[in-house]
Amino acid sequence: MCGISLIIHGVRFDLSSLLINSTFPVPKSEQLVFTIADLRAALRRRGPDSLGSWKLLLHSTVSSCLPEREIASSIEEVKEESCSEDERNCFSLANGRTESHSSTMPSSAAELHFFGASLQLRGISPIVQPLIDSSKNILVYNGEIFGGIDIGGEENDGEVLLQLLGECRCCSPYLHKTNNFDGMGEGSVPDILSKIKGPWAIIYWQESSKTLWFGRDAFGRRSLLVHWPTVADSRFLLSSVSPVSSDFEAENGTTKLSFWEELPCGIYSISIGAPKLDGLFLGEVKKHEWTNAILEELIKWERTSVEPKPEELHISSSKTLTRKHDSHSVNSDALPSKSGPMQASNSVLAQTVLMALKESVMRRSSLHTIFQAGRHDMENELVPVAVLFSGGLDSMIIAALLHECLDPSYYIDLLNVSFDGRSAPDRISAKAGLNELRRIAPSRKWKLVEIDADLPTLTFETKHVMSLINPANTYMDLNIGIALWLAAGGNGWVYEENSNYNDEDRQCIKYKSKARILLVGSGADEQCAGYGRHRTKYRNGSWLALHEEMKLDMQRIWKRNLGRDDRCIADNGKEARFPFLDEDVIRILLGIPLWEVTNLDQPSGVGDKKILREVAELLGLSEAAALPKRAIQFGSRIARESNRKNYGSNRAANQASAGSAVIHKQLDMA
């Protein structure tokens, strides 16, 4: 995992193919002032192991054999300590135009500045991004390959990916030789990227075709922001996170939110052509199709069985109401394969989902030799993986499965944040959940990390999280962002391992989680109808209306949730991993009839997310199986505290629809 960025100067961009397809709105003219030092600081927080920077310089040459200009390139490493003051400020704006970025750069030249901050979790040898091969291909990569491409136990997936991309065929329309290859099909960059199972965001320079490739995975599990060139700012920028700018400081907590956009999921290319009369290189931007048919089906998110027949619904409801009387924990090694029958019985369906989830957690917690790379303290490191833990259904399932997948000698940190001390609903359920986990896994060493916060005192933290959630801009985004950011930081208190939580005299110890991997339950509610709006859609419409709402949630999760969450969690040097958004888990859940996934005729805590409640019971989590849905902003009570701070009371906030209200006023800095 890492943070990646790119800044391009000296290129005139052709966005016509994107605008014709209405993929993007016409860019607005906005300005944002930040320096290289600002960008480095934002990236450094995401990747504590290394931070590298390289410049690619393009300039035109005239061949004696050809009448047209050709493109020559050179690359140079940029050492942070060697940067002059001019270089540190080379990307700031003044009076609506870009300042000169290099006094030695020719007028007919372009510059691509790559940045890569790495939190290394794979490989036996330390790496520093950007990665560059012998052909001058350049890669900055933020992702994990959990399948689709073979990665050896001692290999770094970024290095393997660079090698595979280096073998790809060229597709630039500006090559002088005859080339009918359109960049698609087997052996292409889109073909390689379409094979990856797992989260990723990528920026890749293909030297042979003078083409820049960039994009993010089909579900947007890694953040990648884009600034399309405008009249006010002709730069093209990509970044995992928005740097804190002088605009941000000047406006006391608000920033120019229209500067950045979440890059829509997909694979893009910019083919660079030689300069014309205006002296600027031409960059033609295109979006490419996925080449993986299974991935395309997951993106469409169409379920075969949506509306049940009356007898099917009756049978399903009867099984649901009686399942608590005969449920029992099963040995997951004996579960059926994913290809087994999907409508045989409720238990078979739940077991199939359980198996897929266990494999997903296994992939996301597998301790390759990665942890030894550059980590001299690993022998004393007892907590490699933590769980974002509310004690609710989703986090309890993840914690129980992590116990089954992780070596028993490791502790598991359960990170719980509260803005109301012991009284917050999530703190109460977390304590109950810990007791239930200790019951089913008494040999495991669990640490419930209690992270307490007081919102009115978080002045600096609130401003900082505002920059992280950008371009998200509502109070709900801010509340969720603050809660996630504090939880991922892992600074809290733990209590004696066997102490009774009803004992007021129990001993507590200050503790900071060192886990670099954080498992998060995102995607469970979208796929299993866990939100209140799902129940409303079902009651006001039908099973088909429910399906369409769930489909909408899955197809916009990249914009509404995952980019924001990745930025807030990664800012602490942690990598968020989402077991419920594993490609195989999504495929399994889509293959199950909707009425077996959820039954919203039944009350909250029974019918909603029905299939996951059955999974919880198979794991022996009978108490967690009956818990109603509670969002982190409400369970931690940050929403209540935010309403009081910004609106005076919960009632006034509700009348103003505060949760979805855009943050338009200056934040209270008192």
Side-chain angles (χ1 to χ4, degrees), residues 4 6 112 114 137-140 165 168-172 181-184 188-191 193 200-215 224 236 238 266-271 286-289:
I4 61 178
L6 168 73
L112 290 76
F114 296 83
N137 298 311
I138 304 173
L139 173 67
V140 283
L165 292 174
C168 290
R169 300 163 62 191
C170 302
C171 65
S172 173
F181 182 54
D182 63 358
M184 300 299 292
S188 66
V189 171
D191 182 50
L193 297 180
W200 55 267
I202 189 173
I203 305 171
Y204 173 66
W205 172 255
Q206 188 178 42
E207 170 66 17
S208 58
S209 65
K210 300 298 186 289
T211 300
L212 182 80
W213 296 88
F214 60 98
L224 193 58
F236 172 80
L238 294 167
I267 303 169
Y268 304 80
S269 69
I270 302 177
S271 298
K286 291 184 178 180
K287 187 174 183 180
H288 301 264
E289 299 295 328

Side-chain angles (χ1 to χ4, degrees), residues 225-241:
L225 302 176
V226 61
H227 167 72
W228 301 104
T230 64
V231 174
D233 187 346
S234 61
R235 298 171 296 176
F236 172 80
L237 296 93
L238 294 167
S239 183
S240 295
V241 64

